[in-house]
Amino acid sequence: MSEELDITELETSELLEIMHDCLYDGMAEDVVAGVKELLRRSMSPYDTLTQGLVAGMDIVGADFRDGILFVPEVLMAAKAMKAGMAILRPLLAETGAPTIGTMVIGTVKGDIHDIGKNLVTMMMEGAGFKVVDLGINNDADKFIQAVREHQTDILGMSALLTTTMPYMKVVIQALKEAGLRDKVIVLVGGAPVNAAFAEAIQADAYCRDASVAVQTAKKLVAEKRNQVMVG
Ligand code: B1M
């Protein structure tokens, strides 16, 4: 943003557009200033996230796909997005809701994309789940170990590459071999993943986005608890 521009004077729609430009240009400090200004205007943390940050990242994604942006620029944009998300994370988690379940989540082996996974983590925490985030590039052993270590209700896996999504099946197979498959709900997500793929690898559900992940997790955990009570 230019030095002279007073963002408090802008219409919210103009501010959002400028934030998308700043995200595109990897201007983390300006993205942070925009996030703070939207919150000051009483925009909810969720709307700030989706309208201010995710919408901007969609533009970055399209231009990366079309060869207009390259990896270094996209990394700068991702850093700016993370800076904005750092402000929103505690606000989204600040529900005071009791823990309704525990989720272990990670990006699968060979894949370093974590923005979407981090959004899912934030939204799940905001909905009252305890989330153990394993980060990126996780092999099956790491997932299995974490599922064992924590009282895990849900295992969430993220993959953004067509070359890494098949690894989700490897993890599910490893869960079966460890005798853990029936104990955890497996949710999968990420841009190349879809419901047919989730079914084919015998995951419990595909989650299109972070809010679907929350809804699905709540529903399946409630069903699991009911089964335990009836059984
Ligand atoms: Co990458 N990249 N990238 N990249 N990158 C994609 C995925 C790509 C589609 C871009 C393109 O060509 N259009 C393409 C994949 C093509 C394919 O496989 N078909 C691609 C490529 C090719 C690559 C490299 C191979 C590039 C290269 O080096 N030549 C390389 C691979 C590195 C690796 O992983 N081994 C690479 C690298 C990178 C960066 C490091 C530069 C950076 C990642 C930075 C980071 O994450 N810290 C990056 C980025 C940023 C992208 C794009 C532009 C944006 C991804 C993103 O963050 N989206 C992406 C293009 C795109 O997706 N449009 C692209 C925003 C995020 C909010 O959405 O992650 O989809 P998303 O998450 C959503 C849902 O999918 C869902 O909820 C989220 C929130 O609503 N969800 C889940 C995701 N995970 C979930 C887990 C769940 C539930 C829901 O569990 C329950």
Side-chain angles (χ1 to χ4, degrees), residues 65 74 110 112-116 119 158 160-162 190 208-210:
R65 178 196 61 216
V74 178
I112 62 167
H113 295 86
D114 66 355
I115 296 173
L119 279 178
S158 180
L160 264 286
L161 300 172
T162 45
R208 191 187 63 236
D209 59 32

Side-chain angles (χ1 to χ4, degrees), residues 22 31-32 38 62 66 74 86 98 101 108 113 117 122 133 145 149 166 168 178 184 190 207 224:
C22 291
V31 170
V32 166
L38 289 174
D66 297 341
V74 178
V108 298
H113 295 86
K117 170 190 66 63
M122 286 196 299
D133 184 350
Q145 201 186 324
E149 196 176 316
M168 291 174 164
V184 285
C207 306
K224 189 179 159 201

Side-chain angles (χ1 to χ4, degrees), residues 4-231:
E4 307 83 55
L5 186 63
D6 179 1
I7 58 170
T8 62
E9 305 268 301
L10 296 170
E11 294 288 326
T12 298
S13 58
E14 290 174 304
L15 174 58
L16 286 170
E17 248 177 65
I18 288 180
M19 281 176 68
H20 299 165
D21 290 345
C22 291
L23 193 73
Y24 193 97
D25 294 330
M27 295 157 73
E29 277 178 26
D30 293 327
V31 170
V32 166
V35 165
K36 286 183 176 162
E37 175 59 16
L38 289 174
L39 293 171
R40 193 189 66 79
R41 293 180 189 198
S42 303
M43 185 179 271
S44 72
Y46 180 72
D47 286 347
T48 305
L49 175 69
T50 52
Q51 295 176 33
L53 301 182
V54 177
M57 207 60 195
D58 283 347
I59 305 168
V60 173
D63 281 2
F64 188 37
R65 178 196 61 216
D66 297 341
I68 298 165
L69 285 183
F70 296 96
V71 173
E73 288 115 318
V74 178
L75 266 180
M76 293 290 288
K79 266 195 185 160
M81 171 133 183
K82 280 189 179 175
M85 274 164 54
I87 298 180
L88 296 174
R89 177 187 285 272
L91 301 176
L92 286 163
E94 209 174 74
T95 58
T99 298
I100 53 176
T102 299
M103 176 190 227
V104 165
I105 191 168
T107 304
V108 298
K109 189 177 164 186
D111 202 320
I112 62 167
H113 295 86
D114 66 355
I115 296 173
K117 170 190 66 63
N118 294 345
L119 279 178
V120 174
T121 299
M122 286 196 299
M123 297 283 295
M124 291 289 293
E125 285 172 346
F129 284 85
K130 179 188 164 198
V131 183
V132 179
D133 184 350
L134 303 179
I136 55 173
N137 193 23
N138 289 288
D139 64 17
D141 284 349
K142 195 113 178 271
F143 282 115
I144 301 283
Q145 201 186 324
V147 166
R148 280 216 175 97
E149 196 176 316
H150 306 277
Q151 289 256 311
T152 310
D153 299 294
I154 303 164
L155 173 63
M157 287 187 276
S158 180
L160 264 286
L161 300 172
T162 45
T163 49
T164 57
M165 60 190 256
Y167 196 76
M168 291 174 164
K169 190 178 174 187
V170 175
V171 178
I172 291 176
Q173 187 57 36
L175 280 173
K176 284 182 190 162
E177 285 162 15
L180 292 168
R181 179 63 190 92
D182 294 339
K183 297 191 168 59
V184 285
I185 296 159
V186 178
L187 302 182
V188 293
V193 179
N194 58 34
F197 175 76
E199 199 183 334
I201 63 168
Q202 297 176 335
D204 291 296
Y206 157 67
C207 306
R208 191 187 63 236
D209 59 32
S211 55
V212 171
V214 169
Q215 287 158 20
T216 311
K218 280 183 171 171
K219 181 172 154 270
L220 296 185
V221 166
E223 281 174 15
K224 189 179 159 201
R225 302 253 195 272
N226 280 341
Q227 273 171 15
V228 172
M229 281 167 72
V230 170

